[in-house]
Amino acid sequence: MPKKTPRYLAVEILTAVAKQNSYSNLALDQVIKQNHLNSQDASFLTQLVYGVIQHEMTLDYYLAPFIQKPAKLTTWVRQVLRTAVFQQVYLDRVPEHAIFYEATEIAKQMGHAGTAKLVTAILRNQQRTGLPDLAAIADPIERLSVAYSMPQWLVAKCHQELGPSKLEHLLATINQPANAAIRVNTRINSVAAVLADLQAAGLTIEPSAIAAAGLVARGGHLASGDLFEQGAYTVQDESSMLVAPSLQLQPSDRVLDACAAPGGKTTHMATYLDASQGGKITALDIHEHKVRLIEQNAKRLHVEDVIDARALDARKVSEQFEPETFDKILVDAPCSGLGLMRRKPEIKYGRQAADLLNLQKIQLAILDAIAPTLKVGGQLTYSTCTIVPEENQQVVATFVANHPEFEIVPVALDKPLPANQATPFVQIYPDDYQTDGFFIACLTRRA
């Protein structure tokens, strides 16, 4: 049986993510639980997996001169090499002999002696020769693309949209580790009480600068433990926590959450509602198994009394619900997820420019479908976890042009956001507050 060290497990996860197009965060959580890793090994494994994916294009640039037949290199061998070079370049306290030894051992365990010799030869050659210089890349967009491991089309797009200064700042932070953020369940706890409990448990944690119910830890695995299981809090990014307050919910509101799974924003909205006053959220997702996730999260967080989860394509809402049914509607739309690059770094490699307009069609179809079901005087919040105007500002502008009864209003916030808020919308970039990138727009329906 192979010795499943953090490096071995990292190669397994990286190979699975590359072959199956799965999310690294989900694969990591599963492997950590299955192998009962202690906090030190879990932290090292997380650092390896995220680091290799975040810097994938840079690592391949460093390896390219030393791989004679790249097309014949199997996925797992490439991941062994990437993991080794990542440790050499980006980790200070890992001895080089340990990196080489374990890379060779992993190659033996996953392959055979010949594969191990190939891995050793490539790494030794790279060690003797040194890394190729990024400054040798003449084209500035290509150089930024390779240096920060961001596809060229996306670098060029961000350069055009944001300008060189903001682009450099964004790229400089995009590969930093994501903070561990949680939302306190204010239905059963206070933020101060949960903060005190977690600090007493030894966590370095502090209140969020932008979200009233948020706490932020510098690393750590918070999706477990007694407080989590009891529903004292849930894992949710800070920028995502701005959505529920934007709806200015009242205890008696009837709410539609058109794209609800896995239920983070749904359960947040639920904390504002009171079942005894008629408050209710109809939470939709197109997939049955994701509906069950919403229900599980609602039960853990003790808000199941105000949540009715159903399987339904949001584009069919107007076929299933009467006009003017809901006081408030949230469309947290399916999107490219480009605001999640720090937390789910594999996203940036799987997107193309054409995807943005294809997604825009889906987003507009959902908005068109839900529009008649909002009461006159009611509020609609449209949100995404992306940073490109095709899925954000352009969608809202097109929707309002097609539905003149809707009016854009400023986004209501619990705390002020000084960065990039010169419009009625909220547009957060990952480097603004070290959170996920996010977009929020609010609209009201007039008579």
Side-chain angles (χ1 to χ4, degrees), residues 139-190:
D139 181 81
I141 296 296
E142 182 185 358
R143 185 168 59 251
L144 287 172
S145 171
V146 174
Y148 294 104
S149 198
M150 179 92 83
Q152 278 194 58
W153 74 267
L154 189 53
V155 174
K157 179 168 187 55
C158 290
H159 184 271
Q160 181 182 11
E161 300 287 349
L162 306 177
S165 178
K166 177 65 175 175
L167 171 64
E168 288 268 13
H169 194 257
L170 174 65
L171 292 174
T173 61
I174 203 71
N175 292 325
Q176 293 174 356
N179 291 330
I182 61 172
R183 173 177 58 80
V184 174
N185 182 6
T186 53
R187 176 175 269 208
I188 62 171
N189 283 285
S190 70

Side-chain angles (χ1 to χ4, degrees), residues 261-317:
K265 301 175 192 68
T266 317
T267 53
H268 191 185
M269 291 190 293
T271 63
Y272 294 84
L273 304 184
D274 185 339
S276 68
Q277 297 186 44
K280 196 78 173 178
I281 299 174
T282 301
L284 308 180
D285 193 87
I286 195 170
H287 300 293
E288 285 279 3
H289 71 280
K290 290 190 175 181
V291 171
R292 290 193 293 275
L293 276 179
I294 299 168
E295 292 171 338
Q296 289 165 9
N297 279 322
K299 187 173 182 179
R300 182 176 63 82
L301 294 165
H302 313 286
V303 291
E304 69 270 29
D305 59 328
V306 294
I307 294 175
D308 174 21
R310 307 183 193 181
L312 180 68
D313 187 332
R315 290 169 290 189
K316 298 181 179 179
V317 163

